[in-house]
Coordinates of all heavy atoms in Angstrom, one line a residue:
Q1 N 3.9 15.3 9.1 CA 2.9 14.3 9.1 C 2.6 13.9 7.7 O 2.1 14.8 6.9 CB 1.7 14.7 9.9 CG 0.7 13.7 10.1 CD 1.1 12.7 11.2 OE1 2.1 12.8 11.9 NE2 0.3 11.6 11.4
V2 N 2.7 12.7 7.3 CA 2.4 12.2 6.0 C 1.0 11.7 6.0 O 0.6 10.9 6.9 CB 3.4 11.1 5.5 CG1 3.0 10.6 4.1 CG2 4.8 11.6 5.6
A3 N 0.2 12.1 5.0 CA -1.2 11.6 4.9 C -1.2 10.1 4.6 O -0.4 9.7 3.8 CB -2.0 12.4 3.9
P4 N -2.1 9.3 5.2 CA -2.1 7.9 4.8 C -2.6 7.6 3.4 O -3.4 8.4 2.9 CB -3.1 7.3 5.8 CG -3.9 8.4 6.3 CD -3.1 9.7 6.1
D5 N -2.1 6.6 2.8 CA -2.5 6.1 1.5 C -3.3 4.8 1.7 O -2.8 4.0 2.5 CB -1.3 5.8 0.6 CG -0.5 7.0 0.2 OD1 -1.1 8.0 -0.2 OD2 0.7 7.0 0.3
D6 N -4.4 4.7 1.1 CA -5.2 3.5 1.1 C -4.9 2.7 -0.2 O -5.0 3.3 -1.3 CB -6.7 3.7 1.3 CG -7.0 3.8 2.8 OD1 -6.1 3.7 3.6 OD2 -8.2 4.0 3.1
H7 N -4.6 1.4 0.0 CA -4.4 0.5 -1.2 C -5.4 -0.6 -1.0 O -5.6 -1.2 0.1 CB -3.0 -0.1 -1.2 CG -2.0 1.0 -1.1 ND1 -1.5 1.7 -2.2 CD2 -1.2 1.5 -0.1 CE1 -0.6 2.6 -1.8 NE2 -0.4 2.4 -0.5
V8 N -6.1 -1.0 -2.1 CA -7.1 -2.1 -2.1 C -6.6 -3.1 -3.1 O -6.3 -2.7 -4.3 CB -8.5 -1.6 -2.4 CG1 -9.4 -2.7 -2.6 CG2 -9.0 -0.6 -1.3
G9 N -6.6 -4.3 -2.7 CA -6.2 -5.4 -3.7 C -6.2 -6.7 -3.1 O -6.5 -6.9 -1.9
F10 N -5.8 -7.7 -3.9 CA -5.7 -9.1 -3.5 C -4.3 -9.4 -3.0 O -3.4 -8.9 -3.6 CB -6.0 -10.1 -4.7 CG -7.4 -10.0 -5.1 CD1 -7.8 -9.2 -6.2 CD2 -8.4 -10.7 -4.5 CE1 -9.1 -9.1 -6.7 CE2 -9.8 -10.6 -4.9 CZ -10.1 -9.8 -6.1
V11 N -4.2 -10.1 -1.9 CA -2.9 -10.5 -1.4 C -2.2 -11.5 -2.3 O -2.8 -12.5 -2.6 CB -3.0 -11.1 0.1 CG1 -1.6 -11.5 0.6 CG2 -3.6 -10.0 1.0
I12 N -1.0 -11.1 -2.8 CA -0.3 -12.0 -3.6 C 0.6 -12.9 -2.7 O 0.8 -14.1 -3.0 CB 0.7 -11.2 -4.6 CG1 -0.2 -10.3 -5.5 CG2 1.5 -12.2 -5.4 CD1 0.7 -9.3 -6.3
G13 N 1.2 -12.3 -1.7 CA 2.1 -13.1 -0.9 C 2.8 -12.2 0.1 O 2.7 -11.0 0.1
I14 N 3.6 -12.8 1.0 CA 4.4 -12.2 2.0 C 5.9 -12.5 1.7 O 6.2 -13.7 1.5 CB 4.1 -12.7 3.4 CG1 2.6 -12.8 3.7 CG2 4.9 -12.0 4.5 CD1 1.9 -11.5 4.0
D15 N 6.7 -11.5 1.7 CA 8.2 -11.7 1.6 C 8.7 -11.5 3.0 O 8.9 -10.4 3.5 CB 8.8 -10.7 0.6 CG 10.3 -10.9 0.4 OD1 10.9 -11.4 1.3 OD2 10.8 -10.5 -0.7
Q16 N 9.0 -12.7 3.7 CA 9.4 -12.6 5.1 C 10.8 -12.0 5.2 O 11.0 -11.3 6.1 CB 9.5 -14.1 5.6 CG 8.1 -14.7 5.8 CD 8.2 -16.0 6.4 OE1 8.9 -16.2 7.4 NE2 7.5 -17.0 5.8
E17 N 11.7 -12.3 4.2 CA 13.0 -11.8 4.3 C 13.1 -10.3 4.3 O 13.8 -9.6 5.1 CB 13.8 -12.4 3.2 CG 15.3 -12.7 3.5 CD 16.0 -13.4 2.4 OE1 15.8 -14.7 2.3 OE2 16.6 -12.8 1.5
K18 N 12.3 -9.7 3.4 CA 12.3 -8.2 3.2 C 11.2 -7.6 4.0 O 11.0 -6.4 4.0 CB 12.1 -7.9 1.7 CG 13.3 -8.3 0.9 CD 13.2 -7.9 -0.5 CE 14.4 -8.4 -1.3 NZ 14.0 -8.6 -2.8
E19 N 10.4 -8.4 4.7 CA 9.2 -7.9 5.5 C 8.3 -7.0 4.7 O 7.9 -5.9 5.0 CB 9.7 -7.1 6.8 CG 10.5 -8.0 7.7 CD 11.2 -7.2 8.8 OE1 11.3 -6.0 8.8 OE2 11.6 -7.9 9.8
L20 N 7.9 -7.6 3.6 CA 7.0 -6.9 2.6 C 5.7 -7.8 2.5 O 5.7 -9.0 2.5 CB 7.6 -6.8 1.2 CG 8.9 -6.0 1.1 CD1 9.4 -6.1 -0.3 CD2 8.6 -4.5 1.4
I21 N 4.6 -7.0 2.3 CA 3.3 -7.7 1.8 C 3.1 -7.2 0.4 O 3.3 -6.0 0.1 CB 2.1 -7.4 2.7 CG1 0.9 -8.2 2.2 CG2 1.9 -5.9 2.8 CD1 -0.3 -8.2 3.2
R22 N 2.8 -8.2 -0.5 CA 2.6 -7.8 -1.9 C 1.1 -8.0 -2.2 O 0.5 -9.0 -1.9 CB 3.4 -8.7 -2.8 CG 4.9 -8.5 -2.5 CD 5.8 -9.2 -3.5 NE 5.3 -10.1 -4.4 CZ 5.3 -11.4 -4.3 NH1 6.0 -12.0 -3.3 NH2 4.8 -12.2 -5.3
I23 N 0.5 -6.9 -2.8 CA -0.9 -7.0 -3.2 C -1.0 -6.6 -4.7 O -0.2 -5.9 -5.2 CB -1.8 -6.2 -2.4 CG1 -1.6 -4.7 -2.5 CG2 -1.8 -6.7 -0.9 CD1 -2.7 -3.9 -1.9
Q24 N -2.0 -7.2 -5.3 CA -2.4 -6.9 -6.7 C -3.5 -5.9 -6.7 O -4.6 -6.2 -6.3 CB -2.8 -8.2 -7.5 CG -3.2 -7.9 -8.9 CD -2.0 -7.5 -9.8 OE1 -1.0 -8.1 -9.7 NE2 -2.3 -6.6 -10.6
T25 N -3.2 -4.6 -7.1 CA -4.2 -3.6 -7.2 C -4.7 -3.4 -8.6 O -4.1 -4.1 -9.6 CB -3.6 -2.2 -6.7 OG1 -2.7 -1.8 -7.7 CG2 -3.0 -2.4 -5.3
K26 N -5.7 -2.6 -8.8 CA -6.2 -2.3 -10.2 C -5.1 -1.8 -11.1 O -5.1 -1.9 -12.3 CB -7.3 -1.4 -10.2 CG -8.6 -2.0 -9.7 CD -9.7 -1.0 -9.7 CE -11.0 -1.7 -9.1 NZ -12.0 -0.7 -8.6
R27 N -4.1 -1.0 -10.4 CA -3.0 -0.4 -11.2 C -1.8 -1.3 -11.3 O -0.8 -0.8 -11.8 CB -2.7 0.9 -10.6 CG -3.8 2.0 -10.9 CD -3.5 3.2 -10.1 NE -4.1 3.1 -8.8 CZ -3.8 3.8 -7.8 NH1 -3.0 4.9 -7.9 NH2 -4.4 3.6 -6.6
G28 N -1.9 -2.5 -10.8 CA -0.7 -3.4 -10.8 C -0.3 -3.8 -9.4 O -0.8 -3.3 -8.4
P29 N 0.7 -4.7 -9.4 CA 1.2 -5.2 -8.1 C 2.0 -4.1 -7.3 O 2.8 -3.4 -8.0 CB 2.1 -6.4 -8.5 CG 2.5 -6.2 -9.9 CD 1.4 -5.3 -10.5
I30 N 1.9 -4.1 -6.0 CA 2.7 -3.2 -5.2 C 3.2 -4.0 -4.0 O 2.6 -5.0 -3.6 CB 1.9 -2.0 -4.7 CG1 0.7 -2.3 -3.9 CG2 1.6 -1.1 -5.9 CD1 0.1 -1.1 -3.2
S31 N 4.3 -3.6 -3.4 CA 4.9 -4.1 -2.2 C 5.0 -3.0 -1.2 O 5.4 -1.9 -1.5 CB 6.3 -4.7 -2.5 OG 6.3 -5.7 -3.4
L32 N 4.6 -3.4 0.0 CA 4.6 -2.4 1.1 C 5.3 -3.0 2.3 O 5.2 -4.2 2.6 CB 3.2 -2.0 1.5 CG 2.4 -1.3 0.4 CD1 0.9 -1.3 0.7 CD2 2.9 0.2 0.3
K33 N 6.1 -2.2 3.0 CA 6.9 -2.6 4.2 C 6.0 -2.8 5.4 O 5.3 -1.9 5.8 CB 8.0 -1.5 4.4 CG 8.9 -1.8 5.6 CD 10.0 -2.7 5.2 CE 11.0 -2.8 6.3 NZ 11.7 -4.0 6.3
V34 N 6.2 -4.0 6.0 CA 5.5 -4.3 7.3 C 6.5 -4.0 8.4 O 7.7 -4.4 8.3 CB 5.1 -5.8 7.3 CG1 4.5 -6.1 8.7 CG2 4.1 -6.1 6.2
T35 N 6.1 -3.2 9.4 CA 7.0 -2.8 10.5 C 6.4 -3.3 11.8 O 5.3 -3.9 11.9 CB 7.1 -1.3 10.6 OG1 5.9 -0.7 11.1 CG2 7.5 -0.7 9.2
E36 N 7.2 -3.1 12.9 CA 6.7 -3.5 14.2 C 5.5 -2.7 14.7 O 4.8 -3.1 15.6 CB 7.9 -3.4 15.3 CG 8.4 -2.0 15.5 CD 9.5 -1.5 14.5 OE1 9.9 -2.4 13.6 OE2 9.9 -0.4 14.5
N37 N 5.2 -1.6 13.9 CA 4.0 -0.8 14.2 C 2.8 -1.2 13.4 O 1.7 -0.6 13.6 CB 4.3 0.7 14.0 CG 5.4 1.2 14.9 OD1 5.5 0.9 16.1 ND2 6.3 2.0 14.3
T38 N 3.0 -2.1 12.5 CA 1.8 -2.5 11.6 C 0.8 -3.3 12.4 O 1.2 -4.3 13.2 CB 2.3 -3.4 10.5 OG1 3.3 -2.6 9.7 CG2 1.2 -3.9 9.6
E39 N -0.4 -3.0 12.3 CA -1.5 -3.7 13.0 C -2.3 -4.5 12.0 O -2.6 -4.0 10.9 CB -2.5 -2.7 13.7 CG -1.9 -1.9 14.8 CD -1.8 -2.7 16.1 OE1 -2.8 -3.4 16.4 OE2 -0.7 -2.7 16.8
L40 N -2.7 -5.7 12.4 CA -3.6 -6.5 11.6 C -4.9 -6.5 12.2 O -5.1 -6.6 13.4 CB -3.0 -8.0 11.5 CG -1.7 -8.2 10.9 CD1 -1.3 -9.6 10.9 CD2 -1.6 -7.6 9.5
L41 N -6.0 -6.3 11.4 CA -7.3 -6.2 11.9 C -8.2 -7.3 11.2 O -9.1 -7.1 10.4 CB -7.9 -4.9 11.5 CG -7.1 -3.7 12.0 CD1 -7.6 -2.4 11.4 CD2 -6.9 -3.6 13.5
F42 N -7.9 -8.6 11.6 CA -8.5 -9.8 11.0 C -9.3 -10.5 12.1 O -8.7 -11.4 12.7 CB -7.5 -10.7 10.3 CG -7.0 -10.2 9.0 CD1 -6.0 -9.3 9.0 CD2 -7.6 -10.5 7.8 CE1 -5.5 -8.7 7.8 CE2 -7.1 -10.0 6.6 CZ -6.1 -9.1 6.6
P43 N -10.5 -10.2 12.4 CA -11.3 -10.9 13.4 C -11.3 -12.4 13.2 O -11.5 -12.8 12.0 CB -12.7 -10.3 13.3 CG -12.5 -9.0 12.6 CD -11.3 -9.2 11.7
G44 N -11.1 -13.2 14.2 CA -11.1 -14.6 14.1 C -9.7 -15.2 13.6 O -9.5 -16.4 13.8
L45 N -8.8 -14.3 13.1 CA -7.5 -14.8 12.7 C -6.5 -14.1 13.6 O -5.7 -14.7 14.4 CB -7.2 -14.5 11.2 CG -5.8 -14.8 10.8 CD1 -5.4 -16.3 11.0 CD2 -5.6 -14.4 9.3
H46 N -6.4 -12.8 13.5 CA -5.4 -12.0 14.3 C -5.8 -10.6 14.3 O -6.0 -10.0 13.3 CB -4.0 -12.2 13.8 CG -2.9 -11.5 14.6 ND1 -2.5 -12.0 15.8 CD2 -2.3 -10.4 14.4 CE1 -1.6 -11.2 16.3 NE2 -1.4 -10.2 15.5
E47 N -5.9 -10.0 15.5 CA -6.1 -8.6 15.7 C -5.0 -8.1 16.6 O -4.9 -8.4 17.8 CB -7.5 -8.3 16.3 CG -8.6 -8.6 15.3 CD -9.9 -8.3 15.8 OE1 -10.3 -7.1 15.7 OE2 -10.6 -9.1 16.3
G48 N -4.1 -7.3 16.1 CA -2.9 -6.8 16.9 C -1.7 -6.6 16.0 O -1.8 -6.6 14.8
P49 N -0.5 -6.5 16.6 CA 0.7 -6.3 15.9 C 1.0 -7.4 14.9 O 0.8 -8.6 15.2 CB 1.8 -6.3 17.0 CG 1.1 -5.9 18.2 CD -0.3 -6.5 18.1
A50 N 1.4 -7.0 13.7 CA 1.7 -8.0 12.6 C 2.8 -9.0 13.0 O 2.7 -10.2 12.6 CB 2.1 -7.3 11.3
F51 N 3.8 -8.5 13.8 CA 4.9 -9.4 14.1 C 4.5 -10.4 15.2 O 5.3 -11.3 15.5 CB 6.1 -8.6 14.5 CG 6.8 -7.9 13.4 CD1 6.4 -8.0 12.1 CD2 8.0 -7.1 13.6 CE1 7.1 -7.4 11.0 CE2 8.6 -6.5 12.6 CZ 8.2 -6.6 11.3
D52 N 3.3 -10.4 15.7 CA 2.8 -11.3 16.7 C 2.2 -12.6 16.1 O 1.7 -13.4 16.8 CB 1.8 -10.7 17.7 CG 2.5 -9.7 18.7 OD1 3.8 -9.6 18.6 OD2 1.8 -9.1 19.5
I53 N 2.1 -12.7 14.8 CA 1.5 -13.9 14.1 C 2.6 -14.5 13.2 O 3.4 -13.8 12.6 CB 0.2 -13.5 13.4 CG1 -0.4 -14.8 12.8 CG2 0.5 -12.6 12.2 CD1 -1.8 -14.6 12.2
D54 N 2.6 -15.8 13.1 CA 3.5 -16.5 12.2 C 3.2 -16.1 10.8 O 2.0 -16.2 10.3 CB 3.3 -18.0 12.4 CG 4.1 -18.8 11.4 OD1 5.3 -18.5 11.3 OD2 3.5 -19.6 10.7
P55 N 4.2 -15.5 10.1 CA 3.9 -15.0 8.7 C 3.4 -16.1 7.8 O 2.5 -15.8 6.9 CB 5.3 -14.5 8.2 CG 6.2 -14.7 9.3 CD 5.5 -15.4 10.5
E56 N 3.8 -17.4 7.9 CA 3.3 -18.4 7.0 C 1.8 -18.7 7.3 O 1.0 -18.9 6.4 CB 4.1 -19.7 7.1 CG 5.5 -19.5 6.5 CD 6.4 -20.7 6.7 OE1 5.9 -21.8 7.1 OE2 7.6 -20.5 6.5
K57 N 1.4 -18.7 8.6 CA 0.0 -18.9 8.9 C -0.8 -17.7 8.4 O -1.9 -17.9 7.8 CB -0.1 -19.0 10.4 CG -1.6 -19.1 10.9 CD -1.7 -19.1 12.4 CE -3.2 -19.2 12.7 NZ -3.5 -19.0 14.1
F58 N -0.3 -16.5 8.5 CA -1.1 -15.3 8.0 C -1.2 -15.4 6.5 O -2.3 -15.3 6.0 CB -0.3 -14.1 8.4 CG -1.0 -12.8 7.9 CD1 -2.2 -12.4 8.5 CD2 -0.5 -12.0 6.9 CE1 -2.9 -11.3 8.0 CE2 -1.1 -10.9 6.5 CZ -2.3 -10.5 7.0
E59 N -0.1 -15.7 5.8 CA -0.1 -15.8 4.4 C -1.1 -16.8 3.9 O -1.9 -16.6 3.0 CB 1.3 -16.1 3.8 CG 1.3 -16.1 2.3 CD 2.7 -16.3 1.7 OE1 3.5 -17.0 2.4 OE2 3.0 -15.7 0.7
S60 N -1.1 -18.0 4.5 CA -2.0 -19.1 4.0 C -3.4 -18.7 4.2 O -4.3 -19.2 3.5 CB -1.6 -20.4 4.7 OG -2.0 -20.4 6.1
N61 N -3.7 -17.9 5.2 CA -5.1 -17.5 5.5 C -5.6 -16.3 4.7 O -6.8 -16.2 4.5 CB -5.3 -17.2 7.0 CG -5.5 -18.4 7.9 OD1 -6.6 -18.9 8.0 ND2 -4.4 -18.9 8.5
V62 N -4.7 -15.5 4.2 CA -5.1 -14.3 3.5 C -4.8 -14.2 2.0 O -5.2 -13.4 1.3 CB -4.6 -13.0 4.2 CG1 -5.1 -12.9 5.6 CG2 -3.1 -12.9 4.1
K63 N -3.9 -15.1 1.5 CA -3.5 -15.1 0.1 C -4.7 -15.2 -0.8 O -5.6 -16.1 -0.6 CB -2.5 -16.3 -0.1 CG -1.8 -16.1 -1.4 CD -0.6 -17.1 -1.5 CE 0.2 -16.9 -2.8 NZ 1.3 -17.7 -2.8
G64 N -4.8 -14.3 -1.7 CA -6.0 -14.3 -2.7 C -7.2 -13.6 -2.2 O -8.1 -13.4 -2.9
K65 N -7.1 -13.1 -0.9 CA -8.2 -12.4 -0.4 C -8.1 -10.9 -0.6 O -7.0 -10.4 -0.7 CB -8.4 -12.6 1.1 CG -8.7 -14.1 1.4 CD -9.6 -14.3 2.6 CE -10.1 -15.7 2.7 NZ -9.4 -16.5 3.6
M66 N -9.2 -10.2 -0.6 CA -9.2 -8.7 -0.8 C -8.9 -8.0 0.5 O -9.6 -8.4 1.5 CB -10.6 -8.3 -1.4 CG -10.7 -6.9 -1.8 SD -9.7 -6.6 -3.3 CE -11.0 -6.5 -4.5
V67 N -8.0 -7.1 0.5 CA -7.7 -6.4 1.7 C -7.6 -4.9 1.4 O -7.4 -4.4 0.3 CB -6.3 -6.8 2.3 CG1 -6.4 -8.3 2.8 CG2 -5.2 -6.6 1.4
R68 N -7.7 -4.1 2.5 CA -7.4 -2.6 2.4 C -6.2 -2.4 3.3 O -6.2 -2.8 4.5 CB -8.6 -1.8 2.9 CG -8.3 -0.3 2.9 CD -9.5 0.5 3.5 NE -10.8 0.1 3.0 CZ -11.3 0.5 1.8 NH1 -10.6 1.2 1.0 NH2 -12.5 0.0 1.4
I69 N -5.2 -1.8 2.7 CA -3.9 -1.5 3.5 C -3.8 0.0 3.6 O -3.8 0.7 2.5 CB -2.7 -2.1 2.7 CG1 -2.8 -3.6 2.7 CG2 -1.4 -1.7 3.5 CD1 -1.7 -4.3 2.0
S70 N -3.7 0.5 4.8 CA -3.4 1.9 5.0 C -1.9 2.0 5.3 O -1.4 1.3 6.1 CB -4.2 2.4 6.2 OG -4.0 3.8 6.4
S71 N -1.2 2.9 4.5 CA 0.2 3.0 4.7 C 0.6 4.5 4.7 O -0.1 5.4 4.2 CB 0.9 2.3 3.6 OG 0.8 2.9 2.4
R72 N 1.8 4.8 5.2 CA 2.4 6.1 5.1 C 3.8 6.0 4.7 O 4.6 5.2 5.3 CB 2.4 6.8 6.5 CG 1.0 7.1 7.1 CD 1.1 7.6 8.5 NE -0.1 7.5 9.2 CZ -1.1 8.4 9.2 NH1 -0.8 9.6 8.7 NH2 -2.2 8.2 9.9
G73 N 4.2 6.6 3.6 CA 5.5 6.6 3.1 C 6.0 5.2 2.8 O 7.1 4.8 3.0
G74 N 5.1 4.3 2.3 CA 5.4 3.0 1.9 C 5.4 2.0 3.1 O 5.7 0.8 2.9
K75 N 5.2 2.4 4.3 CA 5.2 1.6 5.5 C 3.7 1.4 5.9 O 3.0 2.3 6.0 CB 6.0 2.2 6.6 CG 7.5 2.2 6.3 CD 8.3 2.8 7.4 CE 9.8 2.8 7.0 NZ 10.6 3.5 8.0
V76 N 3.4 0.1 6.2 CA 2.0 -0.2 6.5 C 1.6 0.2 7.9 O 2.3 -0.2 8.9 CB 1.8 -1.8 6.3 CG1 0.4 -2.2 6.7 CG2 2.1 -2.2 4.9
D77 N 0.5 0.9 8.0 CA -0.1 1.2 9.3 C -1.0 0.1 9.8 O -0.8 -0.5 10.9 CB -1.0 2.5 9.2 CG -0.3 3.8 9.4 OD1 0.9 3.8 9.7 OD2 -0.9 4.8 9.1
H78 N -1.9 -0.3 8.9 CA -2.8 -1.5 9.2 C -3.3 -2.1 8.0 O -3.4 -1.5 6.9 CB -3.9 -1.1 10.2 CG -4.8 -0.1 9.7 ND1 -4.7 1.3 9.9 CD2 -5.9 -0.2 8.9 CE1 -5.7 1.9 9.3 NE2 -6.4 1.0 8.7
I79 N -3.6 -3.4 8.1 CA -4.2 -4.2 7.1 C -5.5 -4.8 7.6 O -5.6 -5.4 8.7 CB -3.2 -5.4 6.7 CG1 -1.9 -4.9 6.4 CG2 -3.8 -6.2 5.6 CD1 -0.8 -6.0 6.2
A80 N -6.6 -4.6 6.8 CA -7.9 -5.2 7.2 C -8.5 -5.9 6.0 O -8.3 -5.5 4.8 CB -8.8 -4.0 7.6
P81 N -9.3 -6.9 6.2 CA -10.0 -7.6 5.2 C -11.2 -6.7 4.6 O -11.7 -5.9 5.4 CB -10.5 -8.9 5.8 CG -10.7 -8.5 7.3 CD -9.6 -7.5 7.6
I82 N -11.5 -6.9 3.4 CA -12.7 -6.3 2.8 C -13.7 -7.4 2.7 O -13.5 -8.4 2.0 CB -12.4 -5.7 1.5 CG1 -11.4 -4.5 1.6 CG2 -13.7 -5.2 0.8 CD1 -11.0 -3.8 0.4
R83 N -14.9 -7.2 3.3 CA -15.9 -8.3 3.3 C -16.9 -8.1 2.2 O -17.1 -7.0 1.8 CB -16.6 -8.3 4.7 CG -15.7 -8.4 5.8 CD -16.2 -9.4 6.8 NE -15.2 -9.7 7.9 CZ -14.2 -10.6 7.9 NH1 -14.1 -11.4 6.8 NH2 -13.4 -10.7 8.9

């Protein structure tokens, strides 16, 4: 069992081809793998599996916003906004 890593930063963008979300953290930009197990926790936009929302719609709504991403081994468990 790998302990989860929390990453906080601004969403830079989504790489649909490689299924990555890119965020700008205090330590620099990072890319994390979105999988069929990734959950999005965005009330009013989408709460549920990441693959159930159109990536372009998601990107246009969250780009530039601050998020917390919990991941294990570089794969995203869930993404939530920071209010």
